[in-house]
Amino acid sequence: MRVASALSAKRTDEFAKPGRLVEVRFVKGQSLSLTASRLLALMILAAGGDAWRDTPHRMRKADIRRGHKSNERISDMLEELHRTLFAEDDRSWRGKKATRRFSLIQMSKEEAEDEDGVEAGWIEWQFTPDARKLIQESETYAVLNRQAVLGFRSAYALKLYELGALRIHRRQPVWRCDMPALRAALGIAPDIYKDFAQLRRKVLETAKAEIDQLAHFQVHWKEVRQGRTVVELEFRFEAKDAPAQIGTVDELARHSAGRRPRRDGAVEQLVVAEEPSGPADRVAPTTIDAVVAKVAGALSAKIIGPSPAPAAGFPTGSLRWAGGEEFLAIGRTHGGGWDIDLIADAYRTHMGERLERLSGTKLTRSWQGFCESYVARKGRPG
């Protein structure tokens, strides 16, 4: 907590997350979505050195939305944090080995939107006694970067980033775990990625690509096998050298829209040559115009058809009927394989009369957030 207070006083993007809170594992079958994981990190950042105290903490909604105007998903994230259970090894009253299960948030309040506008909205919360005990008794900590936390697009990458930040400055920056421990730490549901080749491709390689791009360190792993079966993994975290660190700082300052193409090396570089020495060697204006036209044509070729009109309202019937195509596409992308109309019925019930007041971008973001939270609550269909 002293480290957290010191980092908070510096007013930088760095903040400390207690080690025991980083290493706490998810209860089997439960995990936090990416948006809820980000919110929890922002809560730790906002609480700072007072996170262990039995007192409410507060944060502006604008600091959660990252510039978006919609607040609908904040409610879903808070509810997800309330109902997600974590586990830690403990001792029973008889001194026997036991597993203690608990939640991290015991109370939260969210201001309703009023005439002051959404920018004036705040949330208030209080950590549970179990969470405060973990925070107070932690003897280690992970120094995280706020921009990196908000930049991750995979919840697994964010969790592995926290585990790496906790170990990077140790004498042996290594994390060794068996497969059940890996799933519990990252929140990988037991019914997905049962084949290790799929888990490696969908989880580990994706996480490594994001961490190597956004973190101040890189991650590597070694697979330990018994026969052909992977039984353990050994993760090693290596600090980047100075040029790579500068590259990471530059990347965090750039817009996230082109982050994946930059990571995959799919971005074309425009090289400007030095100015020619003589008038005869100067580039003709027609040549410059041709280059600009070529680039503009390549960009416009990627846009298929006109931009869709903003959604006027949520369909009352099946999303497979005319008028529900946009919501159907969002449901297929973020619904985790569940029947889209089943999620839509649950969404209508959850929103009630509020649904009539939503339209356009607010409506589509609310629908996407509900699909993500639905998968987080239910897992994936068998």
Side-chain angles (χ1 to χ4, degrees):
M1 289 296 94
R2 288 195 295 269
V3 175
S5 298
L7 290 175
S8 179
K10 290 182 179 180
R11 298 186 180 276
T12 66
D13 280 336
E14 291 187 334
F15 64 100
K17 185 171 182 178
R20 291 187 64 183
L21 203 56
V22 170
E23 294 190 308
V24 67
R25 64 181 185 271
F26 293 101
V27 168
K28 186 176 181 180
Q30 294 198 27
S31 63
L32 286 176
S33 65
L34 175 61
T35 52
S37 297
R38 286 174 179 163
L39 177 58
L40 178 59
L42 292 176
M43 286 176 162
I44 297 295
L45 169 60
D50 294 327
W52 64 276
R53 298 184 185 278
D54 185 10
T55 184
H57 308 283
R58 301 172 183 86
M59 178 166 48
R60 296 172 64 246
K61 287 184 178 181
D63 294 333
I64 304 172
R65 295 195 311 270
R66 299 181 64 200
H68 299 300
K69 295 183 179 180
S70 176
N71 282 329
E72 285 77 15
R73 297 180 66 183
I74 295 178
S75 299
D76 294 332
M77 288 186 281
L78 287 171
E79 292 171 8
E80 184 180 343
L81 284 174
H82 274 289
R83 62 176 172 264
T84 302
L85 290 177
F86 298 82
E88 188 182 47
D89 294 332
D90 204 344
R91 293 280 178 177
S92 71
W93 60 277
R94 299 191 303 160
K96 302 291 185 180
K97 289 184 178 179
T99 299
R100 183 160 54 93
R101 300 176 181 86
F102 55 92
S103 57
L104 297 180
I105 307 297
Q106 72 176 19
M107 177 280 295
S108 68
K109 297 179 184 178
E110 179 187 1
E111 287 185 343
E113 297 182 15
D114 53 25
E115 63 275 6
D116 293 333
V118 296
E119 290 298 326
W122 287 71
I123 66 168
E124 182 178 337
W125 74 94
Q126 194 163 355
F127 293 113
T128 63
D130 290 292
R132 297 199 303 270
K133 181 180 178 182
L134 285 183
I135 293 171
Q136 186 176 15
E137 294 180 354
S138 291
E139 296 181 355
T140 59
Y141 59 90
V143 176
L144 308 179
N145 182 283
R146 180 180 183 274
Q147 294 301 323
V149 167
L150 296 177
F152 284 109
R153 292 295 178 265
S154 163
Y156 305 133
L158 176 54
K159 188 62 180 179
L160 189 58
Y161 164 71
E162 293 181 350
L163 290 166
L166 180 62
R167 291 168 171 80
I168 186 62
H169 295 299
R170 296 181 183 178
R171 182 174 299 177
Q172 293 292 331
V174 172
W175 177 46
R176 191 181 181 101
C177 60
D178 57 18
M179 299 310 297
L182 175 70
R183 288 181 173 273
L186 301 188
I188 306 173
D191 57 337
I192 63 172
Y193 308 140
K194 294 181 179 180
D195 180 69
F196 182 77
Q198 192 179 29
L199 187 145
R200 181 198 296 120
R201 184 176 66 256
K202 297 288 188 178
V203 176
L204 300 182
E205 292 179 355
T206 299
K208 174 178 170 57
E210 289 201 54
I211 290 172
D212 289 355
Q213 184 182 31
L214 300 178
H216 57 287
F217 57 86
Q218 294 181 323
V219 60
H220 310 277
W221 73 85
K222 181 174 66 176
E223 300 164 9
V224 180
R225 297 176 179 267
Q226 285 185 356
R228 300 179 61 182
T229 304
V230 176
V231 293
E232 285 187 343
L233 290 172
E234 183 181 285
F235 292 90
R236 179 172 293 276
F237 306 96
E238 297 179 357
K240 293 178 178 177
D241 57 20
Q245 294 253 13
I246 295 174
T248 298
V249 173
D250 291 340
E251 179 59 44
L252 291 174
R254 302 172 74 178
H255 198 282
S256 61
R259 188 155 286 156
R260 183 167 182 175
R262 290 193 293 270
R263 182 168 66 238
D264 297 339
V267 178
E268 295 183 359
Q269 300 292 329
L270 181 61
V271 180
V272 180
E274 295 182 2
E275 184 176 331
S277 57
D281 296 329
R282 294 186 182 277
V283 180
T286 54
T287 303
I288 297 177
D289 292 341
V291 172
V292 173
K294 182 179 179 181
V295 173
L299 292 174
S300 61
K302 296 181 180 180
I303 303 177
I304 304 175
S307 300
F314 196 80
T316 57
S318 173
L319 300 188
R320 293 175 173 82
W321 297 346
E325 294 85 358
E326 179 182 4
F327 300 99
L328 182 63
I330 293 174
R332 285 174 173 169
T333 302
H334 302 280
W338 286 94
D339 179 81
I340 308 305
D341 286 333
L342 180 67
I343 303 178
D345 289 338
Y347 177 60
R348 296 186 188 100
T349 302
H350 172 75
M351 294 297 294
E353 295 180 356
R354 292 179 295 169
L355 192 56
E356 299 175 1
R357 300 193 293 269
L358 292 180
S359 62
T361 304
K362 281 190 175 183
L363 176 59
T364 54
R365 287 176 177 166
S366 172
W367 166 239
Q368 178 181 327
F370 184 84
C371 291
E372 294 173 348
S373 65
Y374 189 93
V375 177
R377 293 194 307 270
K378 301 286 188 178
R380 295 181 181 268

